[in-house]
Structure formats: structure tokens, C-alpha cells
Amino acid sequence: MTNNHYRAMDQPYLIITILLVGLGFVIQYSASSALAVARFNDPGFYMRGHLIRIIAGLIIGAFFLMLNYQRLKSVAFWIALLGIILLITSLIHNKITNTHSTARWLSIGPFNAQPSEFAKFAIIIYLSSFIDRHQKDLHDLKGGFLPPALVMLTTVLLVIIEPDFSTGTVIALLGITLLTIGGMKLLHLSYLFGLIAITSVIAIIRSPYKINRILTLFNPDKDIQGTSYQINQSLITLGNGGFWGRGLADSVEKNLFLPDPHTDFVFSVAGEELGFIGITILLILFLLIFLRGIQISLKAPDIFGNLLGIGLSTSMFLYVIINIGVVCGIFPVTGLPLPFLSYGGSSMIYNLACAGIILNISKQSQLKEQPFYWS
Amino acid sequence: MANATKSIRHRVFGLTALLSLIWVLIVARLFSIQVINGQKYKAKCKRQADYRKVIAPLRGIIFDRNKKPLTIDVVQISFSAHPNLITDKLSLAKEISSWLGNNNEKYLNTLQSDRTFVWLERNIPQDQIHTLLDENKNYPGLIIDRNIHRQYPFGEIGGQLIGFTDVDNRGISGLELEFDPYLSGEPGWKIIQKDGLGRLNNRPDLPFKETIDGNDVILTIDHEYQTILHEELNSAFFEHNADKAMGIIIDPKSGEILAMASAPLFNPNKPFNYPVSSQKNRVTADIFEPGSTFKIVTATAALEENHVHPEDSIHCEKGFIKIGKNTISDHKKYNTLTFSEIIKKSSNVGTITVAQKIGKDYIFKYARKYGFGVKTGIQFPGESNGIVHPLKEWNDLMLAQVAIGHGLCCTALQLAYAYSAIANGGFLLKPQIVKSIQTKDGIVLYKGKPQYIRRVASVETMTTMRELVRLTVQSGTGSRADVHGMAIAGKTGTAQKVIKNGYSHTDYVATFVGFFPVNNPKLLCVIVIDNPKGKTHTGGEVSAPVVKEVFTRIVNQSDEIFLKEDNIQRPITKYAKIDEITTTRINSIRTKRAEVPNPLLSSLQYTSRMPNLYGKTSSEAIGILQRMGMSIGIKGSGLVVSQTPSIGSLVTSNTQCQLILKPPRLSVE
């Protein structure tokens, strides 16, 4: 088993991942070139940065591919603790230096990392591991429900006060999903729901810009130059592509009409250049990688594997749905990146690490000879 | 066992179904945005990203008859910038300084300003820029504007004649207005893509329309003559402290206007520094009572209708004539004068006596025949009709007044063309001010040619008339216009200005019409000085010397007029004998003259070159040929594939042109 890793790992999943990374690279270059010229007078600036992040992601992904995922189970609590420590560190760091307005970034030497991405990763591992080890007392409030719920809530709260409301929400959603799938009592889950609902309301009331973002959703033509500028430009960008698209590199809107054409709104540029047909193919690839990931996870040899795979696959797909939902005006503007396409190291490393772990799970599952469909 | 438990499977199925449903919603939403509403968003994108840059055409140049440009289009280039949009300020500053040859530090300092908009250079003449600016190259944040500014190198000379343009380079006065449709050209445009910060991005693949430059107008005006007239008119204007003055020089045989000037001065380079009244060309716009210069009408009618002979004696009533309650007097008391002496000495009483003999019908008819009271049809904006009252309103006093040039008004232009009929042997001509109009490529769009209106009187009458007005200069009231050896003929006029209760005894309009040489006139000049306030006020004293100066200077400046005597056309009187047009009696007032084709002039050939019409659409080809005055036969439809006459062959305006058209092959987009 250890000698034929390549034959053993799931080929379709690997191929779709490589396709997405490759397509993402091309789209990223096209989308970022105008902004790179405007900011750095160098069209390849973001393209090269993206390439470096892909390489870093591939190294980390390869590491998790080689590492037996079951080893994570034993260190899961420590990983979760590290996640919380990193979040606190970045908050303190921000208080001391006062350089950034938000504490989303943690600088370690020349690297800037988003501790929230790591925290998300840590929570998925921790919850999967906890549920796997406490199968018998899952329905017990003190022994089975409160410890994971508290760790999760602490993390979510720290992420939200960074402030990164969107990532906090996603972590909370993922946590609830895992706890639900893992078999927690619905009564206990409803406590959690209540708590999260109250927290959300408070968070929204305390920062009015969130209300505006939500209102924009229902009335995008109001205040076109203000709060709804981004979403209006995003819709224009998508619509300008039409069915067949304007052709690669021919986006008009990326010329600084669309804000963040290389990060949060990279999908709009893809829509303008590749058209409905092109981005539908892209969306199908994202759906396939999600379904295949779930399929792999369900065949994992243990519950930790089941939940870890499901958690990681869901987290990736949740980002896809939220990001594209924002881009096409279904969700309020959040600032979540699109996996494999958006510019950003933390996101790229996280998603390739997920892919590495899921491929590692696939090596140990009994899926090898099965055809590729949902069963 | 390795598979997940049943409960996990069930709950995961629910999760997957939920997320897949959202996925389907998203795809549906994208379909709605991109396919169903795609056009709406495309239009929005076009609105915010496409910028239509209008490129102004070069305005046509107005030339004098010797191709001396009377207008200049100064192309000025301005450089401005949005400093915050420029990334590499140093290299841009270096580039700009390489264009303009200045030190780059100046530009660098400006570019490093924290303002959002700065001017680098304004209105630099194009010839000071060292390189040809590449229209399609992008310099983000840098704005290059081309501005075309009309200038008049000769300023006040011919100012009212040429007119001026507004800030949009549209003619609003004078010839600039009259010929604006020819001069203005068609602006072009091109679509330039804007980015989100408003910077322009030139892309050669976006649609554009080429600019069509305006056409050049070549005038019949001779700038040398114009200068002479301008200077002499203005010196008289100032010397006599007049209210206004106007002068015109024409070629009495072709009807071409050689110079036209008005005072007070007007400089079209700074039109708004002058009162509006100074802007107008008074020669065509201002009317005045012609006074004694109008006596030629009475004289011509009398001679032509055989009522008098130049040698006939006419009793002049000792200088007074009573018409009803009114008395009209002469400036000197004459007893008996011959008819020629009446003209020579400009006797009012004598003229009225003759007019009473021939009757008001003929006076009216000849006033009309000479063109009074009707626009001459000059191609110039704002021409006045003049005033000749309808015949039924004429009473005895009116007849007497009209006979001596009162009770009616005319423009200096009408007076000039009336006298040119005397000078050229009897033809009233239409004023010509444009010799030709041609495109910048040399295609002739319009060719001016002498236009004959009618014969005013017989050659014999006109020969006599020429002798009479020659006598006026030789020994009569116009003697101050006489130059030895130049045979100048002319007639003076001193009209009392109309005031509230009749005629003023202090304000006059002094007029003199002169032409020379008397037997083969080349030049005709009218000078009108309104209200001279010096010691003298008569046409003979005020205006005649101006005409004399003008003629003398023209002759001194160029001997051409005499040296070419042998080469020029034979006297026009010889042609006149084959003229068979019968004169018709004109009673009704017409606003425009009937134009009769002139057999005398149709033999002249005005040629131009056949333009290249290959590949043009039928409407384009017809447009070009119609402007050249050609008749057109067309076969087929589509684009021109064959043309007769061939490209570049000489054609006249009545050449028949045959075009063969075929539908175009599918063009490559």
C-alpha cells in the first residue's frame, strides 16, 4: 500500500484539482494584469505572486498527501489550541503595532498569513477527531457536546472580533454541519443555533456597513457609486460576457472598473472573458470536486476520515458558493476568496492542503476501482 | 468495516442536496445575468467604458485670388495630467521634455504635485513639437488635447469681409459664415476605452470615423488692392472725422469683387473688442441715398429713349425749381446748360427738368434695370435690398427727388454694379466674390464664373454715358479724381442725410464712383463717406481724392494694368453686337433677379479634373459630381467599378459622366 501511492490515490479528484489550479492560473493572470500595470507598471506582478503561492500550496498539499491523515487525529486538540493562540497573537500584535486597521493578518518574518484560515482548518480536524473518539457519549451535554462547542465558539468569536465576520460565520456553519453529521443531539444543536443567532444580530447591529451590504442586495440600483458599486460592477462584468464571452484577456471591466478583479471578484472577470458557457464548465468542475470529495470521504476507513473529508470538501464548496453568490448578487458582499482562482496565499495553501488530505483519505478507502458517479 | 455509518450517510445526503440546490440556483442566476439580460449589462458597460473622442477637422483656408492665405488654422497642443494616475513620473517627464525640448525637471515637479489635475503645457503651436505624436500610444494619466484656433494674419484688412468664427470654429460672420458649409469640414471621432479611473486607453481595433477637412475657398479679392483700399478709406475716414465709410473695387467686365472695405475698423482676431456695428460689411449691408451718383439713371433713360441728345440745351431756371410747395436748388445758379454739362456740373434742376420730360415710368424702369432696389445676389450674408418705392406711390416730388438720387436708398455694392454696366458697355453683372472652392486634394467643387443679368442700355448709350462721366472727372465736379494719363471716369454724389423733418443741411453722404481706363475699364471703385465733418463735405471734395489715390497706388504698384493691354480680351462692346436678348419692361418688385444665361460667356470653359470615384457608393459619387456641376448617368447598383471620363481627365461643368456600379463582394470586416 505504501509503495504505490500514485496508483492508489483517486485519479479523478487529482485531475480536477490540477485542472482548477491550471485554469485558475490563466484566469488570474488575465484578471490581474490591468491592476498590476496600474499599481506596479508590470502586468505579470500578480501572476508571478500567484505562481509562488501555487508552488507553496503544492508543497504543503504534497506533505498532507504523504502524511497518513490518521496521524492528525491524535494531535487534533493541540492544532485547535494552536489555532486559538494564533488568533489571540494576531489580536495582541495588532493592538501593539497598530499598523493594520484589522487583525486579519499575522506577519511572520516576510510572510503574511491569515490565522483565520488556519483556525478553520484546525476546527475541522478537532471536531472530526473529537466526534470519532467520543462516539459513545455524543449525546451527553457535558462530556459530548460542550467541549467541541466551546472550542468552536471560542474560535468563531476570536475570528469575528478580528473582525472577520464572514470567515467566522463560515467556521460556525462548518462546525454545526460537522456536529450535525457526526450525530449530536438536535436539542443541543438548537442551543448552539440560538447562541449564534444572537451573536450575529449583535455583530450586525454593531457595524452598520453590514446592514447596507444586505440592503444593497435587494436594491442594487440605489446609490450606484456607493455601497452597491461593487455588486453593480460585478453584474455588468458578468453580463458583458454574454453567452460566449469576450475571449480570454479581453475583459473591459477588469480595467479598474471592477474592484478587486484578482481576488474576490475574479469570477466576474472569468464570466466576462469566458461567457456563460465557460463559467458553467468552471462551476461543474467545482461541483464535481465537491461530490467526489464527499464520495471519497464516505468510503474512508474510520469516522475521523469520514468527517474530516466531509468537513474539508464542504468548506471548499461553501467558499465557492458564497463567493459566486456574492459575485452574482445573491449574497451580500463578504470578501471570501474563490478557491484556486483568487489571489491569496492562505487560501491557496488551505485548499491544496485540503486536496492533499482528501487524496490521502482516498488512498485508504475502498473506492479505487469504482466508476465516477454518485452512488 | 470501513464505510460510514448509515446516519452519517443520510445527513451527508441532505447536506449535499442542499448545497447542490444552491449551486443550481447560482447557475440559473448566471444564466439570467449573462444570457437573458446580457444586452442590458453590455449597454451599461459601453456607457461607462466607451468614450467617444471627437476629432476636429481642419477648417478650409480662405485665399485671395493670388493664393495668398487670408486665414490660418493654428493647431495648438495642450498637455495636462492626472498625477495620481501616473506610475513612472520620471520617464514620462523625460518623454515630454524630449517632445518639447525643455528641461524635464519642470515637468517632473509638476507631475509630483499632489493635485488631481495639472496643466503641463498649454496651447503649444504644433510646429514647436519635435516629434510626431503617436495618436495610438498610451500614456496613462497624460491628456493630450489638440485645439484648432482660427487666426487672421491681416487683422483689420478685410476684417468685416472675411468675418470670424466662434469658439467651436464655426463661421458666424462674413465669408466665414457664408461659406461655412464648405469650410467647416466634418469632424471625425473614435471610440476610446476608458478604465475605472477615467484614464483613456487607445485601441486601434475600436470603431472610428475619419475627419474630413474643410475645403479651401479662393476669393476674387486681391489682397494688394484690399490693402490699398483699406488704407485709403481709413485715412479719409479719420481725416474727415466721418461716421462711417465704405469702399469697393470691382472688375467691371467680369463682375469680380477685388476689394471691399468698411470703416470703422474691425479686427476679426478679437471680434469682441469692437462694437457689433463694426462687424458688418457695410458695402453690402448699409444703405444710403446715392444723391447725384444716381443721375446716371435719368441720363441713361433720357439717352436710350431718345428724349435728349448730349448737345441739347436745357434751361436750368436760375438754380431753383418748384415742385408743389417744395423748392429744389442747385449748388450754383445756372441759366442754360447742355445735357452733358448737366451731368458734368451735376445740376439738380437740369436733371429734374430732363426727368420730368421722360416721365416717371422710364425713371423707374431704368432704376430697376440698373439693379436698384433688388439684392445683387452676392454670396455674402446680410445683403440689403435698398429702397426703391413702388411706382404707384410716385408723385411729382418723388420723381424729382429720385431723379437726383434722393427718396431712394442703395448699397455701395448696387452702385458699383450699376456703374459697371456703364463701364462694360451695358451689362448688369452678378457680383462674384469666390473664384473657386476646392478640397484639400484639389478637387474643384465650385467654380465662379461671370454671370450676366441683363442688358441695361445699348452700347451707343453706354459709350455716351462713359464720355459724360469722363467729362465729369476731366472738368466737372469729379476733377479731384483726375490723374494725368490715366483716363479716369466717374461721378460725384453729395446727398443730404435724412433727418426728422426732411433733409439735413449739415450732414451729408459724400460718394464718388470712378472707373478707368475709360475706353476699356479694368477697375471700378466706389467710395462712400458718411457724414464727413471737416471743411468739405461733397463727393467731389471728400470721396473723389480717395478713388484717385486708390487708382494711382494700384497702377504704381503694378503696371500690369497697362502692360497687358494688348493681351486682354477685346472690348466688350464688340461682343455686345451679337447679343440678341431683348430687354423686358420690369414693373413688379422682385426680391431676386432673374438670371438669364449669357451667350457671351458660355463659350468660356471652366475646367477641372475628374476625381477618382472607384469604390464609392452611388450617393457619394453623385454628391461629388453634383458639387462639380456635372450631369450623371448611372448603370447598376453597388459601388463604382467604371467611370467615364477617366480619372484626372479635364472636364467641364456640363460634361456628361457615366458610371457603372456593381454590388460589392462580401467585405472583410
Side-chain angles (χ1 to χ4, degrees):
Chain A
M1 187 161 116
T2 45
N3 287 334
N4 54 353
H5 280 169
Y6 281 100
R7 215 178 298 161
M9 81 171 87
D10 188 58
Q11 297 290 334
Y13 196 90
L14 182 67
I15 290 166
I16 298 171
T17 310
I18 291 168
L19 267 177
L20 280 171
V21 171
L23 270 174
F25 177 70
V26 175
I27 293 166
Q28 170 62 226
Y29 181 31
S30 171
S32 67
S33 56
L35 186 72
V37 169
R39 287 191 182 162
F40 305 104
N41 204 18
D42 168 14
F45 183 87
Y46 288 112
M47 180 267 285
R48 286 195 302 277
H50 194 65
L51 194 61
I52 290 166
R53 283 156 179 79
I54 288 174
I55 291 165
L58 287 175
I59 291 167
I60 305 234
F63 168 77
F64 283 108
L65 177 61
M66 303 299 182
L67 182 80
N68 187 346
Y69 76 91
Q70 275 141 348
R71 294 229 190 141
L72 294 169
K73 188 154 85 175
S74 51
V75 294
F77 177 72
W78 302 109
I79 290 177
L81 197 63
L82 180 63
I84 290 170
I85 290 168
L86 283 176
L87 286 170
I88 294 170
T89 316
S90 87
L91 280 172
I92 295 167
H93 183 72
N94 182 49
K95 271 269 154 58
I96 295 167
T97 56
N98 229 352
T99 46
H100 294 286
S101 59
T102 63
R104 287 185 192 183
W105 299 91
L106 182 63
S107 303
I108 309 161
F111 301 106
N112 290 314
Q114 280 181 292
S116 55
E117 291 285 330
F118 183 79
K120 181 173 67 179
F121 184 62
I123 284 296
I124 292 169
I125 293 172
Y126 169 72
L127 290 181
S128 306
S129 158
F130 185 89
I131 293 166
D132 185 313
R133 280 190 290 172
H134 297 77
Q135 276 295 307
K136 285 181 188 129
D137 40 31
L138 275 185
H139 290 264
D140 180 38
L141 183 67
K142 273 189 185 165
F145 180 73
L146 280 184
L150 281 177
V151 172
M152 186 190 91
L153 280 178
T154 315
T155 308
V156 168
L157 211 64
L158 285 170
V159 172
I160 286 176
I161 61 175
E162 257 184 2
D164 190 349
F165 186 74
S166 315
T167 310
T169 313
V170 171
I171 293 173
L173 279 175
L174 282 170
I176 291 166
T177 307
L178 279 179
L179 291 174
T180 314
I181 290 170
M184 290 288 177
K185 227 176 161 179
L186 285 178
L187 179 71
H188 297 162
L189 286 169
S190 64
Y191 298 154
L192 201 58
F193 264 118
L195 197 66
I196 286 170
I198 292 164
T199 322
S200 304
V201 169
I202 293 168
I204 288 173
I205 289 170
R206 287 193 54 176
S207 52
Y209 76 94
K210 289 198 185 72
I211 301 174
N212 277 337
R213 282 184 180 184
I214 292 165
L215 289 178
T216 292
L217 203 57
F218 301 107
N219 192 4
D221 291 334
K222 190 190 157 210
D223 192 17
I224 287 177
Q225 290 301 318
T227 47
S228 59
Y229 177 77
Q230 283 178 309
I231 191 63
N232 263 297
Q233 290 300 332
S234 177
L235 293 182
I236 291 173
T237 313
L238 284 169
N240 199 32
F243 188 81
W244 295 107
R246 293 181 58 90
L248 204 60
D250 253 354
S251 166
V252 175
E253 286 279 314
K254 70 180 178 188
N255 293 311
L256 313 185
F257 284 109
L258 185 69
D260 302 326
H262 64 313
T263 57
D264 296 351
F265 288 92
V266 69
F267 189 76
S268 309
V269 179
E272 189 181 5
E273 296 188 347
L274 306 177
F276 178 70
I277 186 90
I279 52 175
T280 305
I281 291 169
L282 205 57
L283 272 166
I284 287 170
L285 288 177
F286 277 124
L287 184 68
L288 286 179
I289 201 173
F290 168 60
L291 294 179
R292 189 65 177 176
I294 298 288
Q295 204 181 6
I296 289 167
S297 312
L298 290 174
K299 301 283 178 183
D302 56 358
I303 289 175
F304 177 63
N306 292 150
L307 294 177
L308 185 61
I310 290 165
L312 296 178
S313 290
T314 309
S315 80
M316 273 161 79
F317 196 60
L318 214 54
Y319 268 54
V320 171
I321 279 177
I322 293 174
N323 177 279
I324 297 176
V326 166
V327 161
C328 64
I330 296 177
F331 300 140
V333 176
T334 55
L336 294 184
L338 183 64
F340 304 120
L341 268 72
S342 286
Y343 184 85
S346 303
S347 163
M348 181 60 77
I349 288 168
Y350 173 80
N351 288 304
L352 284 171
C354 288
I357 290 169
I358 290 165
L359 282 171
N360 185 272
I361 295 170
S362 79
K363 284 197 294 190
Q364 302 184 35
S365 70
Q366 292 119 26
L367 196 71
K368 277 171 264 179
E369 306 306 326
Q370 281 197 6
F372 180 64
Y373 55 80
W374 174 254
S375 59
Chain B
M1 82 113 236
N3 272 359
T5 61
K6 226 176 181 180
S7 80
I8 290 184
R9 275 185 171 276
H10 282 158
R11 295 187 185 187
V12 165
F13 183 78
L15 172 76
T16 318
L18 180 71
L19 292 182
S20 301
L21 187 70
I22 300 175
W23 184 90
V24 171
L25 274 175
I26 286 174
V27 174
R29 169 75 174 162
L30 288 172
F31 185 79
S32 144
I33 295 170
Q34 296 197 278
V35 183
I36 297 171
N37 294 315
Q39 292 307 323
K40 182 181 104 187
Y41 289 115
K42 274 178 190 167
K44 276 192 182 178
C45 177
K46 231 182 159 60
R47 212 180 312 146
Q48 70 181 8
D50 282 1
Y51 168 69
R52 177 191 281 242
K53 184 177 185 185
V54 175
I55 305 154
L58 277 178
R59 195 170 168 80
I61 298 171
I62 300 177
F63 291 101
D64 87 336
R65 64 188 300 125
N66 302 316
K67 272 286 210 174
K68 186 186 273 187
L70 305 180
T71 66
I72 296 177
D73 273 317
V74 183
V75 180
Q76 293 170 326
I77 299 196
S78 297
F79 298 90
S80 53
H82 297 287
N84 55 335
L85 302 183
I86 297 165
T87 40
D88 192 351
K89 292 180 181 176
L90 183 63
S91 69
L92 185 65
K94 276 183 181 161
E95 188 135 26
I96 298 169
S97 68
S98 78
W99 299 336
L100 301 171
N102 287 340
N103 195 339
N104 64 39
E105 273 179 31
K106 177 186 164 193
Y107 302 119
L108 191 60
N109 287 338
T110 318
L111 288 176
Q112 278 165 345
S113 134
D114 51 4
R115 280 174 292 169
T116 51
F117 179 83
V118 289
W119 284 104
L120 293 166
E121 288 289 351
R122 294 186 81 157
N123 299 342
I124 303 279
Q126 193 170 39
D127 50 8
Q128 283 182 28
I129 292 166
H130 294 258
T131 47
L132 202 64
L133 294 174
D134 182 1
E135 297 241 335
N136 285 323
K137 200 169 171 199
N138 280 320
Y139 302 98
L142 181 70
I143 302 160
I144 302 173
D145 289 317
R146 198 174 79 139
N147 164 36
I148 301 174
H149 180 63
R150 190 75 152 173
Q151 283 195 344
Y152 306 95
F154 301 109
E156 292 154 347
I157 299 170
Q160 296 99 335
L161 176 65
I162 295 163
F164 56 96
T165 58
D166 63 6
V167 283
D168 297 323
N169 232 12
R170 292 258 149 204
I172 53 173
S173 157
L175 292 170
E176 291 273 35
L177 170 62
E178 180 74 21
F179 292 97
D180 193 61
Y182 289 100
L183 289 166
S184 60
E186 276 182 50
W189 49 259
K190 76 196 223 191
I191 300 291
I192 295 177
Q193 214 160 62
K194 234 175 9 182
D195 72 9
L197 302 177
R199 297 184 298 188
L200 301 177
N201 183 13
N202 258 327
R203 278 173 49 165
D205 57 323
L206 293 172
F208 65 93
K209 178 174 174 286
E210 284 215 33
T211 304
I212 302 170
D213 285 340
N215 307 303
D216 293 340
V217 172
I218 296 133
L219 302 178
T220 58
I221 299 291
D222 185 317
H223 183 253
E224 299 295 334
Y225 293 5
Q226 180 74 38
T227 310
I228 291 166
L229 180 68
H230 171 85
E231 288 172 2
E232 294 305 326
L233 188 74
N234 277 293
S235 75
F237 170 73
F238 289 118
E239 186 191 330
H240 297 287
N241 194 18
D243 289 355
K244 56 191 185 187
M246 43 214 144
I248 178 171
I249 305 173
I250 66 171
D251 176 344
K253 283 185 185 167
S254 64
E256 289 179 350
I257 296 171
L258 301 172
M260 202 149 58
S262 316
L265 290 173
F266 171 71
N267 186 342
N269 289 318
K270 302 169 201 149
F272 304 107
N273 291 358
Y274 295 85
V276 179
S277 63
S278 298
Q279 291 176 9
K280 65 178 173 180
N281 181 9
R282 298 180 186 280
V283 177
T284 57
D286 279 12
I287 54 172
F288 55 92
E289 297 200 347
S292 303
T293 48
F294 194 77
K295 285 175 184 161
I296 54 157
V297 173
T298 312
T300 310
L303 291 170
E304 182 77 1
E305 304 297 333
N306 290 319
H307 285 289
V308 286
H309 187 268
E311 302 305 321
D312 284 356
S313 290
I314 285 134
H315 186 56
C316 288
E317 322 258 347
K318 289 190 174 157
F320 293 99
I321 188 164
K322 275 200 104 153
I323 295 128
K325 289 176 187 169
N326 299 280
T327 307
I328 295 174
S329 63
D330 270 341
H331 51 102
K332 264 186 190 171
K333 291 172 187 170
Y334 303 109
N335 271 329
T336 311
L337 294 170
T338 62
F339 181 64
S340 61
E341 281 173 326
I342 287 175
I343 300 301
K344 190 173 95 176
K345 298 191 192 298
S346 200
S347 159
N348 291 339
V349 178
T351 312
I352 291 167
T353 314
V354 172
Q356 286 169 337
K357 240 170 111 180
I358 42 184
K360 60 180 179 180
D361 285 355
Y362 283 109
I363 302 292
F364 180 80
K365 175 181 165 187
Y366 277 88
R368 284 295 195 204
K369 280 181 112 178
Y370 268 118
F372 290 102
V374 180
K375 284 189 174 115
T376 62
I378 185 176
Q379 289 167 300
F380 199 88
E383 194 195 354
S384 300
N385 271 325
I387 301 166
V388 176
H389 292 288
L391 188 55
K392 58 183 179 191
E393 292 174 13
W394 285 28
N395 52 22
D396 290 346
L397 177 63
M398 182 68 126
L399 171 66
Q401 282 182 331
V402 169
I404 60 168
H406 283 79
L408 83 168
C409 287
C410 68
T411 62
L413 188 71
Q414 287 171 330
L415 201 56
Y417 280 84
Y419 272 80
S420 76
I422 297 173
N424 67 25
F427 297 106
L428 186 66
L429 300 170
K430 188 177 168 184
Q432 297 296 317
I433 195 153
V434 170
K435 257 183 121 65
S436 65
I437 298 175
Q438 32 186 271
T439 66
K440 301 266 180 202
D441 304 327
I443 296 172
V444 178
L445 305 176
Y446 170 88
K447 190 103 189 168
K449 49 190 170 188
Q451 276 176 288
Y452 160 98
I453 294 166
R454 73 176 77 86
R455 173 172 274 288
V456 178
S458 68
V459 181
E460 293 72 24
T461 305
M462 287 312 190
T463 311
T464 314
M465 286 302 299
R466 280 206 296 274
E467 281 162 16
L468 293 182
V469 290
R470 171 66 189 140
L471 275 175
T472 310
V473 173
Q474 257 179 342
S475 54
T477 52
S479 59
R480 283 181 182 79
D482 198 25
V483 180
H484 180 69
M486 273 175 63
I488 297 173
K491 181 78 192 78
T492 60
T494 310
Q496 289 169 294
K497 288 194 79 170
V498 178
I499 53 170
K500 259 185 185 169
N501 313 310
Y503 284 94
S504 163
H505 290 283
T506 52
D507 295 357
Y508 299 89
V509 178
T511 313
F512 186 79
V513 188
F515 57 87
F516 92 103
V518 66
N519 289 321
N520 185 17
K522 303 281 170 49
L523 295 176
L524 186 147
C525 178
V526 178
I527 297 289
V528 180
I529 295 183
D530 190 316
N531 197 7
K533 292 189 260 303
K535 285 176 196 159
T536 53
H537 64 266
T538 63
E541 289 163 319
V542 173
S543 300
V546 181
V547 174
K548 172 184 159 183
E549 272 310 307
V550 168
F551 284 162
T552 315
R553 281 184 65 181
I554 288 174
V555 170
N556 286 345
Q557 178 243 4
S558 150
D559 290 338
E560 215 177 317
I561 292 198
F562 290 125
L563 290 177
K564 279 197 179 170
E565 184 92 8
D566 299 333
N567 298 333
I568 57 155
Q569 303 161 3
R570 284 165 290 164
I572 208 157
T573 47
K574 289 206 171 176
Y575 289 90
K577 282 176 185 164
I578 54 160
D579 173 36
E580 290 171 346
I581 292 180
T582 52
T583 52
T584 48
R585 204 184 155 90
I586 302 164
N587 281 328
S588 61
I589 294 174
R590 294 194 199 168
T591 49
K592 230 175 181 167
R593 289 168 164 172
E595 284 169 21
V596 185
N598 184 2
L600 142 79
L601 296 159
S602 63
S603 60
L604 293 166
Q605 296 236 317
Y606 291 94
T607 55
S608 55
R609 301 258 174 200
M610 186 70 186
N612 182 1
L613 301 171
Y614 287 97
K616 295 244 185 313
T617 65
S618 63
S619 61
E620 284 169 348
I622 291 170
I624 292 169
L625 295 175
Q626 274 182 346
R627 272 178 280 174
M628 296 173 65
M630 296 173 68
S631 46
I632 307 144
I634 286 184
K635 278 181 192 158
S637 64
L639 304 179
V640 176
V641 294
S642 156
Q643 65 177 62
T644 12
S646 55
I647 304 161
S649 54
L650 284 169
V651 290
T652 66
S653 59
N654 41 25
T655 305
Q656 171 84 19
C657 178
Q658 283 293 342
L659 300 177
I660 297 173
L661 278 71
K662 274 189 181 157
R665 286 184 211 132
L666 277 180
S667 58
V668 184
E669 287 198 9

